[in-house]
C-alpha cells in the first residue's frame, strides 16, 4: 500500500524559481510521490548540486507498505535520479519487532511498481535490499 498525498505548505530552497511541493519534486527524480508520508511540513534541496536533501515532518510517524516503515521528524539524504542515498531518519520493521535503519531507497528505471529499501549492515547481517511494491 502506498501512502500518497499532496501538500501546499512544502517549500524548496533549490535553485528552481518556482516553489513546488516535495510530492511534485520526487517524480522529477524518478521517485514515487507517495514515498514520503502526507505530513511533510518543509523540505530543502542543496543548491550546491550535491543532492543534499532534508525533509521535516510534522511529527514522527509510521506508514504501512509491504513492511511497516518508521519516519523520524527529520529525514536527510542525497537525492539522485531513481534513488535517495546516505539516508537518515527512516527505519523498516522486519521479523515482528526488529527495526533496521534504511540507508538507501531505490526504484527500478524505467519506473515500475517496485521500491527497494536498503538496510545498513550490522554485525549480525549483510546489507540487504528489501522489495516493497506499491
Amino acid at each position: 500500500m502506498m501512502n500518497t498525498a499532496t501538500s501546499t505548505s512544502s517549500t524548496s530552497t533549490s535553485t528552481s524559481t518556482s516553489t513546488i511541493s516535495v510530492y511534485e519534486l520526487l517524480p522529477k527524480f524518478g521517485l514515487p510521490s507517495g514515498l514520503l508520508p502526507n505530513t511533510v511540513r518543509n523540505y530543502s534541496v542543496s543548491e550546491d548540486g550535491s543532492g543534499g536533501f532534508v525533509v521535516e515532518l510534522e511529527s514522527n510517524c509510521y506508514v504501512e507498505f509491504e513492511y511497516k516503515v518508521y519516519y523520524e521528524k527529520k529525514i536527510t539524504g542525497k537525492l539522485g535520479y531513481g534513488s535517495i542515498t546516505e539516508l537518515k531518519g527512516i527505519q523498516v520493521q522486519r521479523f515482528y519487532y526488529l527495526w533496521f535503519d534504511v540507508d538507501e531507497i531505490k526504484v527500478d528505471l524505467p519506473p515500475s511498481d517496485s521500491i527497494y529499501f536498503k538496510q545498513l549492515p550490522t554485525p549480525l547481517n549483510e546489507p540487504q535490499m528489501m522489495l516493497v511494491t506499491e
Side-chain angles (χ1 to χ4, degrees):
M1 160 171 66
M2 183 58 76
N3 181 21
T4 60
T6 59
S7 172
T8 57
S9 63
S10 297
T11 58
S12 171
T13 59
S14 69
T15 56
S16 173
T17 57
S18 65
T19 300
I20 62 172
S21 76
V22 71
Y23 309 106
E24 295 167 310
L25 176 71
L26 290 173
K28 292 178 187 284
F29 284 87
L31 298 164
S33 60
L35 187 61
L36 295 170
N38 60 5
T39 59
V40 174
R41 262 190 347 171
N42 192 24
Y43 79 95
S44 62
V45 178
S46 176
E47 293 181 5
D48 65 6
S50 68
F53 181 65
V54 178
V55 175
E56 295 176 29
L57 305 178
E58 292 174 9
S59 63
N60 300 344
C61 68
Y62 297 88
V63 175
E64 288 283 339
F65 295 102
E66 187 174 316
Y67 297 94
K68 185 180 269 187
V69 179
Y70 171 74
Y71 293 86
E72 293 179 8
K73 189 173 180 179
K74 182 178 181 182
I75 300 161
T76 63
K78 281 193 165 185
L79 190 59
Y81 195 81
S83 69
I84 303 174
T85 58
E86 298 180 27
L87 196 54
K88 303 285 184 229
I90 298 179
Q91 295 180 336
V92 65
Q93 183 182 29
R94 298 196 55 214
F95 312 115
Y96 300 105
Y97 296 103
L98 295 177
W99 289 89
F100 297 93
D101 290 329
V102 175
D103 179 51
E104 183 175 350
I105 296 175
K106 284 188 171 187
V107 296
D108 289 330
L109 296 173
S112 70
D113 288 341
S114 298
I115 303 169
Y116 302 91
F117 288 77
K118 181 181 175 188
Q119 75 183 45
L120 289 170
T122 67
L124 301 176
N125 69 10
E126 295 294 320
Q128 297 181 29
M129 294 295 281
M130 294 167 283
L131 172 64
V132 179
T133 56
E134 289 187 75

